């Protein structure tokens, strides 16, 4: 489904996500439409490894690796110099929000797909993020092309990732704790 430009619902290392091929501009546009979200608002990408992250971001600063290694919860880093991603996913300043997932299902999904996945919370823009499958709006279930079966029975609290912006000149800004 991802290779055909489809949009999926899947569990991540944080909340349930709406995802697609992060290198496919048409698929990214579908995600914006499903979420009813302004395409000027950035979305996160998930990758399975540091090697994959380095394929899509030129010159990842050393502090990014330190932050991700020391973080006590999933942490997304906003990095400059994105490359090879859908243009409508990259911010006007050339930055991209990326996270290396360690959760088994989303990590395996990213590994098998061999590309970054869009990972935006499974909700209509402005509504609460779906912590569990049961929290997903039925309209979203109908709007996507595929819904993953993993972790559908889970009923426990999940929170979005921390977000840290890192600039090439070394400035670190906490966007979301």
């Amino acid at each position: 489904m991802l290779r055909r430009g489809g949009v999926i619902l899947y569990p991540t290392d944080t909340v349930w996500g709406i995802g697609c091929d992060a290198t496919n501009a048409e698929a990214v546009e579908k995600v914006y439409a499903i979420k009813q979200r302004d395409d000027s608002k950035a979305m996160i990408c998930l990758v399975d490894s540091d090697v994959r992250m380095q394929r899509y971001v030129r010159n990842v600063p050393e502090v990014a690796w330190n932050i991700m290694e020391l973080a006590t919860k999933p942490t997304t880093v906003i990095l400059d110099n994105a490359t090879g991603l859908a243009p409508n996913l990259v911010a006007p300043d050339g930055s991209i929000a990326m996270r290396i997932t360690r959760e088994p299902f989303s990590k395996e999904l990213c590994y098998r797909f061999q590309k970054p996945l869009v990972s935006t919370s499974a909700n209509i823009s402005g509504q609460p993020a779906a912590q569990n499958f049961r929290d997903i709006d039925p309209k979203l279930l109908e709007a996507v092309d595929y819904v993953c079966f993993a972790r559908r029975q889970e009923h426990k609290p999940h929170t979005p990732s921390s977000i840290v912006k890192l600039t090439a000149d070394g400035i670190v800004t906490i966007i979301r704790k």
Side-chain angles (χ1 to χ4, degrees), residues 38-110:
D38 182 357
D39 65 7
S40 67
K41 292 194 171 196
M43 292 191 289
I44 294 169
C45 292
L46 281 188
V47 292
D48 63 315
S49 66
D50 55 348
V51 171
R52 185 112 34 236
M53 180 180 279
Q54 290 177 83
R55 286 185 191 157
Y56 295 94
V57 177
R58 289 188 198 103
N59 305 319
V60 176
E62 190 62 35
V63 69
W65 305 120
N66 295 336
I67 288 170
M68 290 184 287
E69 184 179 322
L70 297 172
T72 56
K73 68 181 265 191
T75 300
T76 300
V77 290
I78 301 172
L79 302 164
D80 290 338
N81 302 313
T83 185
L85 297 166
N88 55 344
L89 188 59
V90 177
D93 67 359
S95 66
I96 189 69
M98 283 198 148
R99 181 169 73 251
I100 299 171
T101 181
R102 302 199 192 311
E103 184 273 330
F105 179 80
S106 56
K107 184 176 183 75
E108 183 72 13
L109 182 62
C110 290

